[in-house]
Amino acid sequence: NTNLNSTNNDNDNDKASAIASTPPTDTVPPITHEGQMPQKKFYRSRAHCNPLSFNEAFDYPPRPDLFDWTEEHYPNHPQLSDCGTDAGEFSASSAQIHPTVLDVGCGFGGLTLALSALLPEETILGLEIRSKVTEYVRLRILASRKEAMGTGASIAGCDGDGETHDAEKEDGETHDAEKDDTETDATDRDDPNDKRASHRDHRPTHQNASVLRTNAMKYLPNHIPPRSLSKLFFCFPDPHFKKKNHPRRIVSTRLLTEYAHWLKPGEGKLYCITDVRDLHEWHVERCEEHPLFEEVTEEEMEGDECVWAMRTETEEGKKVRREGREMWWK
């Protein structure tokens, strides 16, 4: 009896070890292959992180002119299609390609892709600090390029479960996270003033769009040459409600000086939108006080299709509209 019980116990232990070593199938996320549209539910992340204490290593060049944007980000940029087979002409053209429009804190890439279609002559770059979200946007752009080429990836209804997701913020604060960016209410689709109307006959290739994982508050000088940006977007940034955290805000007097360094003199524009009124007033006050920025007129804002895009194409903007809350922008 003793030997029999011992054998049974050994068998039970072996079974237990086998069960413990087998990962549960419901916790293993599926692998998204390049060219397939990713499902957002597998790339959820906290809504924001503190950029001043975010110490993960980032790759960055010593200076902007040493970075080849066509190698990984824009290999089939529209400007390269006119170069033919001349290696020297191709090299000269690729050296001139760099981002001209930045979507800082691009989230799940709704605005980045929208700007790619609205501004086909520009080079769009979304900046994101969260690794999982950056990978989602990268895969989404690749799938959108593939779909534009007619090779099969469907855009509609393929961004995951579409569940509302509230991400918790540091210090116990909460801020609404992005929702499924493919959702567009009937009001958007039927709006006679829809700025997309002039672009519906033009099928975007999204070859002028990409995403980069970096900390925009630290490493932009390493990537962006001075006086090269035409537009700079800050959509629904972290409000950092507590006064002690105000230095973390992405718009400040110090950072505005840096942004002015990258924007084209006389034509570069900075866009801000938020659903927090106090933060909007902060943005307006800092920009009005800064000697290198001046406010555009209401008429200019109403005629700017990019203002429309940042209100309707960002994931957070869609969520705010669905919930009937207010947004403020400049």
Side-chain angles (χ1 to χ4, degrees):
N1 288 340
T2 302
N3 292 337
L4 178 62
N5 289 338
S6 176
T7 302
N8 290 338
N9 288 338
D10 291 342
N11 290 336
D12 290 342
N13 290 336
D14 291 339
K15 291 179 181 179
S17 298
I19 294 174
S21 63
T22 303
T25 57
D26 59 345
T27 62
V28 180
I31 298 175
T32 304
H33 300 284
E34 292 193 358
Q36 294 179 337
M37 186 62 70
Q39 296 186 58
K40 186 182 294 183
K41 62 183 178 181
F42 298 116
Y43 297 87
R44 295 290 185 184
S45 183
R46 292 172 62 92
H48 302 286
C49 67
N50 177 12
L52 300 183
S53 63
F54 197 76
N55 297 318
E56 286 194 29
F58 292 95
D59 293 328
Y60 56 90
R63 61 178 196 264
D65 60 302
L66 298 178
F67 192 80
D68 184 0
W69 288 99
T70 63
E71 185 175 347
E72 294 183 6
H73 292 273
Y74 310 102
N76 297 305
H77 194 281
Q79 293 180 17
L80 298 177
S81 61
D82 301 329
C83 298
T85 58
D86 188 289
E89 186 178 355
F90 181 88
S91 178
S93 298
S94 63
Q96 297 300 316
I97 293 175
H98 57 76
T100 58
V101 175
L102 295 187
D103 180 12
V104 180
C106 66
F108 289 96
L111 180 62
T112 300
L113 283 169
L115 293 174
S116 169
L118 289 174
L119 306 172
E121 302 300 321
E122 303 283 0
T123 303
I124 319 299
L125 181 68
L127 300 178
E128 179 56 55
I129 196 171
R130 298 167 294 175
S131 58
K132 289 171 62 178
V133 179
T134 304
E135 178 64 5
Y136 173 88
V137 179
R138 187 187 73 85
L139 292 169
R140 183 182 177 187
I141 291 174
L142 291 177
S144 298
R145 291 174 179 175
K146 182 178 179 181
E147 193 273 343
M149 295 171 61
T151 52
S154 175
I155 300 298
C158 54
D159 277 332
D161 51 88
E163 60 179 334
T164 304
H165 179 78
D166 293 330
E168 294 208 347
K169 290 187 51 153
E170 58 190 350
D171 301 327
E173 299 167 358
T174 58
H175 192 68
D176 294 327
E178 295 91 342
K179 190 158 182 237
D180 193 344
D181 41 44
T182 59
E183 296 185 9
T184 305
D185 57 35
T187 305
D188 289 340
R189 290 192 297 267
D190 301 331
D191 186 357
N193 297 319
D194 189 340
K195 303 296 182 180
R196 287 172 292 187
S198 61
H199 297 272
R200 283 174 178 154
D201 293 335
H202 168 71
R203 188 172 185 82
T205 64
H206 302 296
Q207 297 293 347
N208 64 330
S210 188
V211 65
L212 174 69
R213 180 172 177 262
T214 190
N215 187 336
M217 295 181 71
K218 293 183 178 181
Y219 303 118
L220 273 189
N222 299 90
H223 289 95
I224 307 301
R227 299 177 296 278
S228 63
L229 298 179
S230 60
K231 300 179 188 296
L232 188 56
F233 290 86
F234 299 102
C235 299
F236 302 95
D238 192 336
H240 291 296
F241 292 105
K242 295 182 179 181
K243 188 174 181 179
K244 69 175 184 178
N245 292 335
H246 285 182
R248 302 178 185 175
R249 289 180 170 177
I250 195 67
V251 174
S252 65
T253 301
R254 176 183 62 83
L255 289 175
L256 282 172
T257 301
E258 294 190 19
Y259 302 151
H261 174 70
W262 293 309
L263 288 168
K264 296 178 181 178
E267 59 178 290
K269 292 183 179 179
L270 184 145
Y271 298 77
C272 297
I273 187 170
T274 180
D275 57 340
V276 179
R277 188 183 186 104
D278 289 344
L279 183 61
H280 169 69
E281 293 174 353
W282 167 281
H283 290 164
V284 173
E285 289 174 4
R286 296 302 173 277
C287 290
E288 288 179 344
E289 294 170 355
H290 202 285
L292 297 178
F293 287 89
E294 61 181 22
E295 186 177 3
V296 300
T297 64
E298 291 293 333
E299 291 76 14
E300 287 182 275
M301 291 180 60
E302 291 178 4
D304 191 340
E305 59 190 1
C306 293
V307 174
W308 167 86
M310 72 176 181
R311 291 167 49 199
T312 61
E313 295 294 332
T314 59
E315 291 78 14
E316 190 67 22
K318 291 178 181 179
K319 182 181 178 69
V320 171
R321 286 164 65 88
R322 284 195 303 270
E323 297 178 353
R325 295 187 283 118
E326 288 189 82
M327 292 181 283
W328 294 269
W329 59 86
K330 270 295 182 182

